[in-house]
Amino acid sequence: MAKAIQLVVLKVLMIIIFAGWTAVWILKPTNLWTRKWKGAEDSSRHTEFGYYGLNFAVYTFPLIFLTMIGLVCLNLVSREPPQSRRARSATIGFSNPVFVNSFLGILSSIEILAVFLFVLFLAWTFYARISNDFKKLVPVKSLNLDLWQLKYLRVATRFGLLAEACLVLLLLPILRGLALFQLLGIQFEASVRYHIWLGTSMVLFATIHGASTLFIWGVSHHIQDEMWRWQKTGRIYLAGEMALVTGLIIWISSLPQIRRRRFEIFYYTHHLYIIFLIFFLFHAGDRHFYSVFAGIFLFCLDKLLRIVQSRPQTCVLSARIFLFPCKAIELTLPKDPRLKYTPTSVIYMKIPSISRFQWHPFSITSSSNLDDHTMSIVVKCNEGWTSSFYDAIQAELDSDTGSMSCMPVSIEGPYGPASLDFLRHDSLLMIAGGAGITPFLSILKEIASVNSSRYRFPTRVQLIYVVKKSQDICLLNSVSSLLLNQPSTQLSLKLKVYVTKEERSNATVRGLVNDLSLARTVNFSTKCSNYAVHGPESYISMAAMTALSSIKFIVSLIFFNHIFLSDEKKSGANEKMVIPSEKKAAKEKTPSSVADLLLLASFIIALACNTFLAAILRWRRLKKDIPPVSPKQGKATEHGSVETKSAVEEHELHFGERPNFQDIFSNFPK
């Protein structure tokens, strides 16, 4: 009861903070906010925090504080008994799919509403800014522009603000450890599309902003003068051009045609975001940067925590390679017994012997309730990185050496849902295609591990599995005993396999599983690493490190500003005694890039201190490490068909057709 009250209080606090932060952005384009904000900045110059502290407190810190509260909520949710049943939520209907499109994907009512409100916010921001600009047009001294050119230049400038609004939220959907979307029940693989939408919108607005500005410079015959300028104060045009070019390179390399066929190009060019953000800082200035700084701050903090977590490397215990034509590998990795993860969790794996930089996500197929010391993943080897990995394992099997080598790997995660919602239902319908079966393997194993005498769990489970070729059914091998020998009379498990690219045959599920179960297993040496997978830090630890990083940043920023911008503060204190022309000259003594560099330096110091703290906590955890379980090292062993005592023949196998979901839904309990 106390935990439920704490959750309610924290969620109400989060709603209040988010509502206040949203209200700030809605009021920001208005004249009222501009006047009040200018007065607040002038007043803050006489304080220790300065205008930079005010900007950080209003624009940046609310999202950081939301993340900290969210992590505390996730900590409370993760400690709930997973088998507790809840009443059906009144808003569950809003999360049901209402729009399905091959380009946009599957959208729910809540997602459509959120997109509509965000577009409405962008329209309001643009209208409010443009209407104010047109009422008080001021000619640009360095440019001799006609009235239409001046108006068009203002329009181009305001498109830059729309790109900035998209950048505010751009990095939030791709947070892993500090993920706010987990509170909404949205996992990383689902929230990535929000990142894609925001990134595409940002690049579109930024391109209109940059191209329109260049157009005005061109028609006014000033493009050579303005394009290469690195101004001492104000907007640095050259930095904006470099940011735009970098953003376009990142976006083009992210197109599906490149991302799916040349993943390496997509992966490496995406790291240009560092250059993009630095040039954006110099172009927009520190005041605008504070508006987008929260997402950047959380993303970089999350990235560094993940880098620390992936150190030191662990090693592969064993690999089971399914023979041709299946071409799949089941890897077994060492796990700390204290590490618990939920089904459908994902790890990110890097194998330095294949690539020193590439990370690839894989769904965990094992259950932490069944396997205390190990975790398993299945890799479907098609092309590129996975094909190289398959060839490396195959070469190890075919080698003539008497002992197996060691295969070090780096692991991030596991990342997964905080609660097990699927255990709260009496019936489950699971639909998978191809390699997408792997998350459901962990669900089936989790259900099998539940003690039926103590907890309630789903009693009717139906798995719809669609594959192109019958050879892909080998991915079901790890749950073959559960499929063919159901361990509990209370569990009704039915499998329907649809093979779409093959003609009808007389094969059965049992026959295909047995025929495709031929595999060779190799047990690797573990001499290269004695460390198991420990998983990320606790939610409370990450919340504490986020708070400490924020404090360290603002303290460093105040310290640097008092040293390097003390003259500007003194001139601000005496501004009432200075005539306007002298006041303007005093403000322009210090280049605007100095304030940008101080912000950047404070940010780097805060991240460095946090990384050092995370490394210390990581080392303390490793000192308590339990060495990984080492299987008997040796050459490959052959595995034949699955032996079953009481096969269940009610599973269905369909060739040359696809599932009719209307019939499936009508025959399945609501």
Side-chain angles (χ1 to χ4, degrees), residues 334-375:
K335 177 185 76 70
D336 187 273
R338 294 162 293 191
L339 173 61
K340 299 296 180 182
Y341 51 84
T342 53
T344 72
S345 292
V346 174
I347 63 171
Y348 288 79
M349 183 172 67
K350 179 183 70 173
I351 304 179
S353 59
I354 306 298
S355 173
R356 296 182 61 86
F357 302 102
Q358 287 189 43
W359 292 85
H360 291 265
F362 297 98
S363 297
I364 301 176
T365 58
S366 56
S367 170
S368 57
N369 289 333
L370 292 176
D371 304 307
D372 288 332
H373 296 276
T374 61
M375 65 168 57

Side-chain angles (χ1 to χ4, degrees), residues 100-389:
V100 179
N101 180 270
S102 59
F103 179 72
L104 295 176
I106 303 173
L107 300 179
S108 65
S109 301
I110 292 180
E111 289 173 323
I112 294 175
L113 178 62
V115 170
F116 172 76
L117 291 177
F118 184 69
V119 172
L120 191 64
F121 162 74
L122 293 179
W124 155 250
T125 300
F126 187 77
Y127 168 77
R129 293 289 189 182
I130 285 296
S131 59
N132 291 333
D133 289 342
F134 285 179
K135 290 177 182 177
K136 45 183 180 180
L137 284 173
V138 178
V140 181
K141 293 182 179 180
S142 60
L143 302 175
N144 186 18
L145 301 179
D146 297 335
L147 180 61
W148 73 269
Q149 295 173 344
L150 187 59
K151 288 185 175 181
Y152 191 65
L153 183 62
R154 300 311 301 166
V155 169
T157 303
R158 296 317 177 189
F159 267 105
L161 289 182
L162 299 186
E164 179 184 303
C166 294
L167 182 57
V168 173
L169 305 175
L170 178 65
L171 299 175
L172 297 180
I174 55 175
L175 299 176
R176 296 180 194 169
L178 305 177
L180 277 173
F181 284 86
Q182 280 194 27
L183 281 175
L184 305 176
I186 303 173
Q187 296 307 305
F188 175 80
E189 55 272 16
S191 63
V192 165
R193 62 178 176 175
Y194 308 146
H195 172 74
I196 296 174
W197 297 347
L198 289 166
T200 301
S201 302
M202 182 194 72
V203 170
L204 174 63
F205 295 140
T207 302
I208 296 174
H209 166 65
S212 299
T213 304
L214 291 174
F215 171 73
I216 294 299
W217 290 346
V219 298
S220 61
H221 307 290
H222 289 86
I223 190 168
Q224 293 293 335
D225 299 329
E226 301 292 331
M227 187 173 179
W228 307 106
R229 287 181 62 191
W230 189 282
Q231 297 93 317
K232 185 177 180 181
T233 58
R235 302 284 183 270
I236 299 176
Y237 299 146
L238 183 58
E241 295 155 14
M242 296 299 295
L244 176 59
V245 171
T246 306
L248 284 171
I249 293 174
I250 295 174
W251 180 78
I252 292 173
S253 65
S254 303
L255 294 174
Q257 295 83 351
I258 298 177
R259 186 181 73 249
R260 293 173 181 170
R261 298 179 182 178
R262 295 289 185 269
F263 178 81
E264 292 81 1
I265 296 177
F266 156 77
Y267 182 82
Y268 292 127
T269 54
H270 240 61
H271 286 80
L272 293 174
Y273 72 86
I274 300 174
I275 298 175
F276 169 79
L277 292 175
I278 291 176
F279 279 122
F280 173 81
L281 169 61
F282 286 117
H283 173 64
D286 60 335
R287 284 178 170 84
H288 282 270
F289 196 75
Y290 284 114
S291 301
V292 304
F293 187 47
I296 299 170
F297 184 92
L298 293 172
F299 174 79
C300 293
L301 183 60
D302 181 76
K303 181 77 172 178
L304 288 174
L305 289 176
R306 291 190 282 114
I307 291 175
V308 172
Q309 182 212 330
S310 64
R311 305 292 193 277
Q313 294 177 339
T314 184
C315 58
V316 176
L317 295 180
S318 64
R320 189 157 69 128
I321 182 169
F322 294 95
L323 304 182
F324 185 83
C326 184
K327 206 174 181 183
I329 300 174
E330 183 179 19
L331 288 184
T332 301
L333 303 169
K335 177 185 76 70
D336 187 273
R338 294 162 293 191
L339 173 61
K340 299 296 180 182
Y341 51 84
T342 53
T344 72
S345 292
V346 174
I347 63 171
Y348 288 79
M349 183 172 67
K350 179 183 70 173
I351 304 179
S353 59
I354 306 298
S355 173
R356 296 182 61 86
F357 302 102
Q358 287 189 43
W359 292 85
H360 291 265
F362 297 98
S363 297
I364 301 176
T365 58
S366 56
S367 170
S368 57
N369 289 333
L370 292 176
D371 304 307
D372 288 332
H373 296 276
T374 61
M375 65 168 57
S376 301
I377 61 172
V378 174
V379 182
K380 186 72 172 69
C381 305
N382 295 319
E383 58 184 17
W385 186 91
T386 55
S387 181
S388 300
F389 179 47

